[in-house]
Amino acid sequence: MAGIISSTLSAETLNPLVITPTRTAQTVDEANASVTVISREDIERSTAMTVEQVLRAVPGVSVTSTGGPGKQSSVFMRGSNSDHVLVLVDGVKVGGATAGTAQLENIPLALVDHIEVVKGPRSSLYGSEAIGGVIQIFTRRGTVEPEIISEVIAGNNGTSRLTQHFGGTTGNTAYSLSASMYDTDGVDSQPGGGQSDNDGFETKSLAASLDQWVSDSLALGVNFMHAQGKNDYDGDAAFGDRYWNEFVQQSGRFFVDYFASDNVSIRAQLGFGRETNENFIDTGDFFDYETRRRQYLLQGDISLTTHQLLTIGLERVDEEVDASTQYTESERYNNAVFVQWQTVAQPLHVTASLRHDDNESFGEETTGILSVGYQVAEFFRPYASYGTGFKAPTFNDLYSPFGANPDLEAETSETYEAGLKGNAGRFSYELAVYKTNFDELIVLGPPPSYIPYNVNRATAEGAELSAAYEASDWSVEVGAGYTRATNDETGDQLERRPKWNGRLAGAKVFGKTELNLELLGRTDAVDTGGGHVPGYVMTNVGATYKATESLDLGLDVTNLLDQEAITAAGYAGQVREVLATVRYTY
């Protein structure tokens, strides 16, 4: 156990290990895909307090927020729809089955160890939603050396966060336990909505993990995350109504790893997820919904030769919806089988995967991906890929009492991608270009029925570039993404997808002090109903002072110049936020 954790930590310094692109461990450079890894160090160095704030720094990814902290957020990756991005927490799918999107705003950043963002289709391994890409969030795990960390953050807008973390390894057991409380008065979510008040957000969260080596060939593990809280939002000012919701976000898994031989390993995993939203008005409870999900996974990895790895998997997902309004159907299952073959530990890296899904609601879908990469030199590794994806219709699409169509088909896509990546000493870079064709997109029909139907076709094409240089006492990172996403029938730009987003960040150490500067920018975009979202450039700064070997003091300012950083028309954007941090490591 200690050896595995130690090797993982050392590999993460320059060339991080990732799991998401192929469901098997490989370095970022080996992946025939555009991959961004956001480490715990990156999170602490940034001024971000939420998962969605961290993600807006990724090239090719645009984040839309309808107000301040805790308000509904949407992630658009490579021009795809917001429900075309699969979100996993420790390998388990999260998100409501009603609307089909994950509520990233309810996942506590304080409990996150690192995040893997894989752009491009991965339906051939993960099934529905993985059209634009996959965001996998890993909660904190046990470390080789025992650690106890206490953190207090406080700032303007009544913002505060308390976090306590324990972790370590004892013998063949690695353990981790983290808890956090986050509270903010927030801002006025809809400044022009007629209800001039701040809309607060509060959450309490807990994450735990346990990994146990039973023998040289058998390991057990368990992860669990729970978050619950309350979110205020603007109501009807004419009646003086106050609206809020109370939520619960849970996910977890139990897994068994069996190493049958040097060439064969098997994982059996049971995962679960639960998402509850209760919506209230002054007069009482007015709308509730809950999604419960169970995931069963059996995966085998077989080394056919020294340079060939075969992965075979079986997966079943059961989803159940319980709402205050009656759906015509409240549960469904999805059975899937997938297979992947890849070359490893050689200059030529070929990956081929195929997955067949059988869904109780809409039928069957088969998706695949083929990618080829070649390590010409350490600093020059080209790759190319072709992949297909699909998105299952949601419970709202199929069974909602407010307008549904049980005959809907799945949305589908095909993506072509080519890229370059490499390292040259302390310098690393990645470049990718892509084109995605979407078909059978689901749209709502005209009022008053609003019956959804398959009709739309769209195309997204673009490019992403990221580069970084890390010296002994300073570092610099630059990234930019271009996306042109249009409706094939009208030629109109798709909503809430800016053509450009970019980031420039640098850090410098002066003795015991580290200074950080980050510039985030995006161009304008069209919004729903013909609205317009202006572009912006936002400046974030931070400083950390190492007062003692154990005590760190920090000061972070998000949106230093208080720019109008709006991402959804009619809603508040990112305001200036000043936060002080005290972190003590025992």
Side-chain angles (χ1 to χ4, degrees):
M1 176 70 71
I4 290 176
I5 295 175
S6 178
S7 63
T8 300
L9 293 177
S10 63
E12 282 185 351
T13 53
L14 290 178
N15 196 7
L17 283 173
V18 291
I19 302 294
T20 310
T22 61
R23 282 189 180 264
T24 59
Q26 61 180 177
T27 65
V28 168
D29 283 351
E30 292 172 328
N32 292 337
S34 179
V35 183
T36 299
V37 178
I38 304 168
S39 67
R40 184 67 211 172
E41 182 183 13
D42 295 330
I43 293 171
E44 292 178 351
R45 178 179 287 176
S46 74
T47 64
M49 288 285 282
T50 64
V51 170
E52 58 270 27
Q53 286 179 334
V54 169
L55 292 174
R56 65 190 178 192
V58 180
V61 175
S62 59
V63 180
T64 296
S65 178
T66 55
K71 306 307 175 279
Q72 182 182 357
S73 297
S74 302
V75 175
F76 300 89
M77 191 179 298
R78 287 190 166 182
S80 63
N81 289 340
S82 59
D83 57 358
H84 290 169
V85 178
L86 177 65
V87 178
L88 307 172
V89 174
D90 293 320
V92 178
K93 178 181 176 179
V94 296
T98 51
T101 57
Q103 294 187 306
L104 288 168
E105 61 273 13
N106 293 339
I107 299 176
L109 185 63
L111 308 186
V112 174
D113 178 75
H114 67 283
I115 302 173
E116 294 178 8
V117 180
V118 181
K119 286 166 277 187
R122 285 295 177 273
S123 289
S124 61
L125 290 175
Y126 295 100
S128 178
E129 276 92 75
I131 288 180
V134 178
I135 298 171
Q136 180 149 205
I137 298 168
F138 295 88
T139 56
R140 291 183 170 187
R141 305 292 292 274
T143 52
V144 177
E145 297 296 329
E147 63 177 9
I148 303 175
I149 302 173
S150 300
E151 184 183 72
V152 179
I153 298 177
N156 63 331
N157 299 322
T159 301
S160 64
R161 190 179 79 185
L162 307 176
T163 305
Q164 182 64 56
H165 169 69
F166 304 89
T169 300
T170 301
N172 291 327
T173 305
Y175 58 89
S176 175
L177 177 64
S178 305
S180 182
M181 294 188 301
Y182 175 46
D183 189 9
T184 180
D185 293 340
V187 298
D188 186 6
S189 296
Q190 294 178 277
Q195 200 170 51
S196 182
D197 63 340
N198 288 342
D199 300 304
F201 176 69
E202 60 183 60
T203 179
K204 300 178 178 66
S205 55
L206 175 73
S209 70
L210 187 68
D211 297 274
Q212 174 69 49
W213 278 103
V214 179
S215 66
D216 290 342
S217 59
L218 182 64
L220 310 176
V222 62
N223 299 89
F224 175 74
M225 186 198 74
H226 172 91
Q228 66 181 64
K230 176 184 172 186
N231 176 38
D232 295 326
Y233 55 99
D234 283 338
D236 191 333
F239 297 95
D241 293 330
R242 174 173 168 260
Y243 288 72
W244 75 93
N245 72 36
E246 298 177 4
F247 68 88
V248 172
Q249 180 90 50
Q250 285 182 346
S251 65
R253 64 173 177 169
F254 174 77
F255 61 90
V256 178
D257 288 332
Y258 177 62
F259 302 90
S261 68
D262 290 341
N263 299 322
V264 178
S265 65
I266 300 171
R267 164 165 288 195
Q269 177 173 293
L270 170 62
F272 70 90
R274 175 173 170 250
E275 180 180 283
T276 299
N277 267 275
E278 297 182 68
N279 294 275
F280 297 87
I281 194 172
D282 285 339
T283 54
D285 188 350
F286 75 94
F287 182 71
D288 306 331
Y289 66 88
E290 180 181 52
T291 294
R292 293 184 293 273
R293 184 180 290 110
R294 295 177 301 279
Q295 173 187 304
Y296 309 90
L297 173 68
L298 182 64
Q299 177 177 321
D301 298 314
I302 306 166
S303 296
L304 301 176
T305 67
T306 307
H307 300 297
Q308 297 184 69
L309 179 63
L310 179 67
T311 299
I312 302 174
L314 299 172
E315 185 178 56
R316 178 183 173 94
V317 176
D318 293 317
E319 292 181 323
E320 184 177 352
V321 168
D322 186 12
S324 53
T325 55
Q326 191 67 36
Y327 282 66
T328 55
E329 295 286 345
S330 60
E331 55 185 62
R332 68 181 179 185
Y333 65 79
N334 188 92
N335 293 325
V337 57
F338 60 89
V339 60
Q340 176 181 254
W341 173 83
Q342 60 180 315
T343 59
V344 294
Q346 64 175 1
L348 179 65
H349 188 195
V350 181
T351 301
S353 59
L354 194 68
R355 174 171 168 135
H356 181 76
D357 287 84
D358 183 5
N359 192 285
E360 183 181 17
S361 294
F362 64 88
E364 303 179 29
E365 286 289 336
T366 300
T367 51
I369 191 169
L370 174 64
S371 64
V372 180
Y374 191 80
Q375 192 76 52
V376 179
E378 185 178 4
F379 60 88
F380 190 75
R381 185 180 185 280
Y383 71 88
S385 69
Y386 169 79
T388 59
F390 81 97
K391 164 66 173 64
T394 67
F395 273 77
N396 285 352
D397 294 329
L398 296 166
Y399 309 125
S400 170
F402 304 112
N405 181 357
D407 298 323
L408 286 171
E409 299 179 8
E411 300 175 316
T412 61
S413 72
E414 58 177 7
T415 299
Y416 305 85
E417 180 177 346
L420 289 172
K421 57 175 64 177
N423 294 288
R426 297 179 179 271
F427 174 75
S428 61
Y429 74 95
E430 183 176 284
L431 171 66
V433 295
Y434 64 89
K435 181 178 181 179
T436 300
N437 299 315
F438 305 97
D439 202 1
E440 300 293 349
L441 293 181
I442 297 172
V443 297
L444 290 179
S449 61
Y450 295 106
I451 302 297
Y453 61 100
N454 295 98
V455 63
N456 269 11
R457 293 185 178 183
T459 300
E461 52 191 3
E464 300 141 4
L465 172 66
S466 60
Y469 184 85
E470 186 170 349
S472 57
D473 60 353
W474 64 276
S475 63
V476 63
E477 299 177 34
V478 62
Y482 170 77
T483 302
R484 184 177 181 271
T486 56
N487 184 311
D488 285 356
E489 296 180 4
T490 65
D492 294 336
Q493 183 178 344
L494 298 184
E495 298 164 347
R496 294 185 174 178
R497 272 150 275 202
K499 286 188 176 181
W500 287 95
N501 78 317
R503 174 178 184 257
L504 175 63
K508 180 71 171 73
V509 177
F510 300 92
K512 295 183 178 182
T513 303
E514 179 178 311
L515 301 180
N516 298 282
L517 172 65
E518 179 183 57
L519 300 178
L520 290 175
R522 51 184 279 175
T523 54
D524 63 344
V526 296
D527 208 333
T528 55
H532 176 259
V533 181
Y536 64 82
V537 175
M538 182 167 59
T539 303
N540 304 325
V541 297
T544 302
Y545 175 70
K546 196 162 193 62
T548 69
E549 195 64 31
S550 302
L551 179 62
D552 294 315
L553 305 176
L555 181 65
D556 295 314
V557 183
T558 302
N559 198 358
L560 175 67
L561 304 179
D562 204 19
Q563 298 294 302
E564 191 179 46
I566 296 172
T567 56
Y571 293 92
Q574 175 68 61
V575 300
R576 182 191 292 126
E577 190 171 44
V578 182
L579 299 170
T581 301
V582 178
R583 184 183 300 115
Y584 192 86
T585 304
Y586 298 85

